[in-house]
């Protein structure tokens, strides 16, 4: 199994002492409350206060400034000592922000992940065991009776939608600048199919980047309606059209009878099982000719430059298990290459480490 150098170092040998391993085991056992206590240290402004007061604050001072009860401040700050997000000066009884607390407070990826896990995943993950055994997103039933989250996305509560799209857009948007150069600067890309185009953010970036390109977004009809609302009246929106399709229906084909310079799949194939991916790629092959390039942009967990990226991705796989669809995951790149080959294409090149989310782009052509 291929692993980046950082992952090979982290995942192939033991690094912890017995005492450290025991502590990590307890940290895992108390993981749900570690998460909630840390989230509330942010929400209540306690970590902000500690950042802004370099000499630290006593529990009473924190209570006075936040208008929380002294009891609430005590249980949260003392738990946060054990978590590692704050430090204590035993001479003055003042609490200070630790490095971990600083990252919790200021790292945008961490903040997006916290909101996503609280609003979208937290209650549904209680049914992870059921999801794994039955191969369906049992945790999604917390929100509604849809087969996948995508059918119900437009009907989710406003805050849940905000956190879902915040998570989805953060990981893709920070890679778009580099991705646009890969797609457009290497040749003439004037017609592009955006498969699973969601709200049209990538399509809008394309028509803004190139005054020649026309984009066809393929997605569920309800997603296309969201896209039309999001893009209405914006410059270049007249060069974006929609093609309604349920890609889980193996009988539904990609647009026929037209040449496309590029087929784009960004953070899309991870929404499907291997068998479903093969079906989608095979149908994409049927819409390609020798001059068409297929671009697959994914966060492959094995190609992450730093280990925390792989941690986020392997945990995200369990969101797909319990909430999204019950059968997909964040894939290893070797798995995706195998499916590309089986669908009748070859991987010409892979661009790694794009943006802050650790994206890769596979550039594929017909064999």
């Amino acid at each position: 199994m291929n692993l980046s150098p950082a992952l090979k170092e982290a995942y192939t040998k033991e690094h912890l002492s017995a005492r450290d391993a025991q502590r990590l085991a307890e940290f895992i056992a108390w993981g749900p409350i570690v998460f909630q206590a840390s989230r509330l240290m942010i929400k209540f402004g306690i970590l902000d206060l500690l950042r802004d007061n370099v000499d630290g604050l006593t529990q009473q001072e924190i209570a006075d400034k936040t208008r929380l009860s002294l009891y609430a401040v005590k249980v949260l700050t003392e738990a946060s000592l054990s978590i590692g997000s704050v430090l204590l000066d035993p001479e003055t009884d003042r609490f200070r922000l630790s490095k971990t607390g600083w990252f919790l407070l200021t790292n945008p990826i961490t903040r997006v992940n916290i909101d996503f896990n609280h609003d979208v995943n937290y209650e549904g993950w209680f049914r992870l065991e059921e999801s794994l055994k039955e191969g369906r997103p049992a945790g999604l039933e917390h929100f509604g009776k849809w087969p996948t989250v995508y059918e119900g996305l437009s009907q989710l509560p406003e805050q849940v939608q905000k956190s879902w799209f915040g998570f989805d857009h953060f990981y893709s948007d920070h890679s778009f600048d580099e991705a646009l150069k890969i797609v457009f600067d290497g040749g003439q890309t004037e017609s592009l199919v955006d498969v699973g185009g969601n709200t049209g953010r990538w399509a809008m970036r394309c028509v803004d980047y190139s005054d020649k390109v026309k984009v066809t977004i393929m997605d569920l009809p309800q997603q296309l309606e969201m896209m039309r609302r999001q893009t209405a009246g914006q410059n270049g929106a007249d060069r974006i059209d929609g093609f309604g399709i349920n890609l889980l229906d193996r009988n539904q084909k990609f647009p026929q009878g037209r040449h496309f310079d590029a087929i784009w799949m960004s953070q899309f194939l991870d929404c499907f099982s291997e068998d479903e991916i093969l079906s989608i790629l095979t149908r994409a092959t049927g819409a390609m000719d020798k001059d068409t390039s297929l671009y697959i942009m994914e966060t492959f967990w094995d190609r992450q430059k730093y280990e925390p990226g792989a941690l986020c991705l392997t945990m995200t796989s369990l969101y797909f298990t319990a909430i999204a669809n019950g059968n997909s995951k964040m894939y290893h790149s070797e798995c995706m290459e195998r499916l590309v080959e089986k669908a009748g294409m070859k991987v010409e090149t892979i661009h790694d480490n794009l943006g802050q989310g650790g994206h890769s782009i596979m550039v594929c052509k017909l064999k």
Side-chain angles (χ1 to χ4, degrees), residues 227-286:
M227 176 273 293
R228 293 184 180 102
R229 291 196 297 270
Q230 292 287 331
T231 60
Q234 297 191 47
N235 291 333
D238 59 317
R239 287 185 281 128
I240 301 172
D241 64 6
F243 184 87
I245 188 171
N246 177 6
L247 284 160
L248 288 174
D249 183 345
R250 296 164 189 261
N251 295 315
Q252 295 191 30
K253 298 180 179 180
F254 279 54
Q256 301 293 301
R258 289 188 278 168
H259 164 74
F260 294 105
D261 296 314
I263 297 176
W264 173 257
M265 300 180 180
S266 172
Q267 291 184 185
F268 172 72
L269 293 178
D270 54 47
C271 301
F272 300 93
S273 69
E274 290 189 33
D275 186 53
E276 290 164 347
I277 291 172
L278 179 58
S279 170
I280 291 167
L281 291 177
T282 301
R283 282 177 279 160
T285 302

Side-chain angles (χ1 to χ4, degrees), residues 14-28 82:
E14 184 67 74
H15 294 274
L16 300 178
S17 67
R19 188 176 296 277
D20 289 338
Q22 183 184 35
R23 186 189 191 283
L24 180 57
E26 292 300 338
F27 200 86
I28 293 168
S82 297

Side-chain angles (χ1 to χ4, degrees), residues 19-265:
R19 188 176 296 277
D20 289 338
Q22 183 184 35
R23 186 189 191 283
L24 180 57
E26 292 300 338
F27 200 86
I28 293 168
W30 290 97
I33 194 57
V34 168
F35 173 80
Q36 289 295 355
S38 300
R39 183 183 71 85
L40 293 175
M41 287 285 285
I42 297 169
K43 182 176 181 179
F44 292 155
I46 298 174
L47 295 188
D48 276 306
L49 285 172
L50 297 181
R51 177 191 59 188
D52 297 340
N53 290 270
V54 293
D55 293 329
L57 294 170
T58 66
Q59 290 173 322
Q60 186 61 61
E61 288 171 334
I62 294 170
D64 292 341
K65 290 177 182 293
T66 60
R67 297 186 179 180
L68 293 170
S69 70
L70 182 59
Y71 167 78
V73 169
K74 284 183 175 181
V75 294
L76 284 174
T77 54
E78 290 164 14
S80 296
L81 275 176
S82 297
I83 292 167
S85 57
V86 302
L87 299 169
L88 175 66
D89 183 342
E91 300 298 324
T92 63
D93 289 342
R94 291 181 175 274
F95 288 78
R96 296 181 290 110
L97 193 67
S98 72
K99 290 180 182 178
T100 298
W102 186 88
F103 277 109
L104 278 172
L105 185 62
T106 64
N107 187 357
I109 293 179
T110 304
R111 295 296 295 271
V112 164
N113 288 341
I114 287 172
D115 290 343
F116 179 64
N117 283 321
H118 177 66
D119 294 328
V120 180
N121 300 325
Y122 196 81
E123 293 185 78
W125 265 335
F126 187 78
R127 299 181 67 180
L128 177 61
E129 179 179 356
E130 188 178 343
S131 300
L132 288 165
K133 289 181 176 180
E134 298 180 8
R136 66 182 185 89
L140 181 60
E141 292 177 6
H142 169 67
F143 295 116
K145 297 286 188 178
W146 308 290
T148 73
V149 73
Y150 311 106
E151 283 92 339
L153 195 55
S154 62
Q155 302 172 59
L156 292 176
E158 182 179 356
Q159 182 58 42
V160 177
Q161 285 192 43
K162 181 180 178 182
S163 294
W164 191 96
F165 283 114
F167 178 84
D168 182 68
H169 292 162
F170 183 91
Y171 279 89
S172 60
D173 287 5
H174 286 83
S175 303
F176 280 174
D177 288 342
E178 294 165 271
L180 287 164
K181 295 175 183 178
I182 292 169
V183 173
F184 288 98
D185 291 1
Q188 286 293 104
T189 300
E190 297 185 3
S191 56
L192 180 144
V193 178
D194 182 3
V195 186
N198 215 324
T199 57
R201 292 169 77 91
W202 167 254
M204 286 304 306
R205 292 294 302 273
C206 288
V207 296
D208 181 62
Y209 192 86
S210 167
D211 60 7
K212 295 181 179 179
V213 70
K214 294 183 178 180
V215 180
T216 298
I217 295 180
M218 293 176 56
D219 215 323
L220 293 164
Q222 56 267 44
Q223 291 298 106
L224 293 179
E225 286 303 313
M226 292 180 69
M227 176 273 293
R228 293 184 180 102
R229 291 196 297 270
Q230 292 287 331
T231 60
Q234 297 191 47
N235 291 333
D238 59 317
R239 287 185 281 128
I240 301 172
D241 64 6
F243 184 87
I245 188 171
N246 177 6
L247 284 160
L248 288 174
D249 183 345
R250 296 164 189 261
N251 295 315
Q252 295 191 30
K253 298 180 179 180
F254 279 54
Q256 301 293 301
R258 289 188 278 168
H259 164 74
F260 294 105
D261 296 314
I263 297 176
W264 173 257
M265 300 180 180

